[in-house]
């Protein structure tokens, strides 16, 4: 019996439809359903991180020491939030195992979306490979870490918030347990927005375009402006920020329509260094914003070049005159 031969499809099946691709490109955000496996992994991670956040402060600080200027470890911002950042594997426990599982599923999900964008904008699928080198599973050690990170937030009741900002990487997946995440309606004039400017995301997972992807696309994709507002009950959230790997320093932009080779490390430093850190201690953020205003970089609380989720902005304005303030190391 002769088996009928089939030619495999040239590309993976699309995850997003045309309308979803257009919304993501124009507004920089997209609420969407996530695969069941990723949803189950997020539920497990919420339970385990909730148990962690319920521990005494000293225990949390000892288990996950601060490092990398808010890019690694546990941080407590009084009257606002606490959060735990992973960039590589640490000790073997149930929380770290759950983190590793979620990382793999979330990175695969965002990679699929990048492939959909490739098809929509005629970018070769393999163009992402050097940008994602070492990012699609949690690195085994600090030495192997890339800028990609997974961050677990616990926003305090009535006061937990984050100023308006755009993320600095390629793409971010946000999942929350309660309302609080809002996105700018600047590209959605027909949407029912809050005072004409902000849309509640509710508790549906959302994908956000970052500054690096906006740069790579030549502005065809807009970075998603968003913020977190206080919830009377408080809220937890999982934020997976897929950022460019810097293992390939000199990056050819030809697949993205530009005839040039760029220093990707330099571009990354420029993107992250021109913004203030929305997750730093309050006085660090204030100093950063004052420095940026003096440099003409800071427009306002909801302007185009204000807060982004970054760790530099003149390294906390010289660490607040060389003092090692909480939030930086």
């Amino acid at each position: 019996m002769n088996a009928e031969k089939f030619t495999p499809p040239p590309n993976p099946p699309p995850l997003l439809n045309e309308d979803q691709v257009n919304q993501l490109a124009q507004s920089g955000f997209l609420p969407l359903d996530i695969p069941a496996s990723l949803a189950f992994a997020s539920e497990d991670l919420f339970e385990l991180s909730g148990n962690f956040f319920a521990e005494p402060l000293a225990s949390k600080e000892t288990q996950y020491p601060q490092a990398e200027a808010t890019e690694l470890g546990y941080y407590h911002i009084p009257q606002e939030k606490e959060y735990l950042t992973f960039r590589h594997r640490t000790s073997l426990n149930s929380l770290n195992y759950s983190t590793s599982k979620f990382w793999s599923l979330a990175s695969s999900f965002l990679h699929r979306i990048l492939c959909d964008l490739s098809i929509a904008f005629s970018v070769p699928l393999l163009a992402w490979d050097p940008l994602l080198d070492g990012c699609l599973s949690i690195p085994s050690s600090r030495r192997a870490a890339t800028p990609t990170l997974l961050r677990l937030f616990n926003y305090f009741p009535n006061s937990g918030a984050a100023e308006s900002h755009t993320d600095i990487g390629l793409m971010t997946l946000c999942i929350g347990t309660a309302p609080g995440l809002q996105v700018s309606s600047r590209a959605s004039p027909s949407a029912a927005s809050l005072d004409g400017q902000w849309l509640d995301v509710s508790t549906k997972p959302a994908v956000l375009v970052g500054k690096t992807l906006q740069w790579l696309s030549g502005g065809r994709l807009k970075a998603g402006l968003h913020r977190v507002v206080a919830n009377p009950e408080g809220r937890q959230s999982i934020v997976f920020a897929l950022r460019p790997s810097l293992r390939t320093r000199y990056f050819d932009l030809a697949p993205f329509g530009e005839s040039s080779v760029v220093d990707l490390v330099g571009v990354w430093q420029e993107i992250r260094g021109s913004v203030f850190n929305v997750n730093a201690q309050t006085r660090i953020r204030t100093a950063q914003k004052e420095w940026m205003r003096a440099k003409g970089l800071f427009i306002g609380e909801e302007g185009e070049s204000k807060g982004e989720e970054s760790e530099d902005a003149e390294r906390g304005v010289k660490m607040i005159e060389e003092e090692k303030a909480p939030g930086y190391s």
Side-chain angles (χ1 to χ4, degrees), residues 36-147:
S37 58
L38 184 54
F40 290 142
S42 68
E43 292 172 5
D44 184 54
L45 194 51
F46 276 130
E47 180 180 355
L48 293 170
S49 61
N51 294 339
F52 169 78
F53 288 129
E55 295 181 21
L57 179 61
S59 174
K60 292 181 283 192
E61 292 177 334
T62 300
Q63 291 179 67
Y64 296 97
Q66 299 178 1
E68 304 281 346
T70 76
E71 296 284 275
L72 186 65
Y74 171 78
Y75 291 82
H76 180 270
I77 313 297
Q79 299 181 331
E80 192 172 293
K81 61 199 170 196
E82 58 183 339
Y83 60 91
L84 178 59
T85 304
F86 294 89
R87 287 183 57 205
H88 59 80
R89 289 197 193 101
T90 54
S91 58
L92 294 176
N93 58 39
S94 55
L95 177 57
N96 292 317
Y97 175 79
S98 181
T99 297
S100 298
K101 182 178 180 179
F102 182 90
W103 184 303
S104 296
L105 293 168
S107 62
S108 176
F109 180 66
L110 294 184
H111 191 191
R112 284 282 306 279
I113 294 177
L114 289 174
C115 289
D116 284 355
L117 295 176
S118 283
I119 295 170
F121 293 103
S122 301
V123 173
L125 297 180
L126 296 181
W128 304 109
D129 286 4
L131 293 168
L132 302 180
D133 183 18
C135 301
L136 299 182
S137 60
I138 191 166
S140 59
S141 66
R142 189 168 180 174
R143 177 182 289 271
T146 71

Side-chain angles (χ1 to χ4, degrees), residues 76-80 163 276-289 320 326:
H76 180 270
I77 313 297
Q79 299 181 331
E80 192 172 293
E163 297 176 65
F276 74 86
N277 187 345
V278 299
N279 291 315
Q281 296 285 352
T282 304
R283 68 194 188 99
I284 297 284
R285 294 198 303 259
T286 300
Q288 289 178 341
K289 287 187 283 189
I320 307 298

Side-chain angles (χ1 to χ4, degrees), residues 188-211:
S188 304
S190 63
S193 64
L194 299 176
D195 63 34
Q197 190 162 8
W198 294 100
L199 301 169
D200 271 317
V201 177
S202 186
T203 57
K204 192 164 190 175
V207 170
L208 295 157
V209 172
K211 278 287 192 182

Side-chain angles (χ1 to χ4, degrees), residues 317-328:
V317 190
K318 298 296 185 182
M319 306 280 289
I320 307 298
E321 303 304 324
E322 303 304 324
E323 176 187 354
K324 279 207 167 187
Y328 281 80

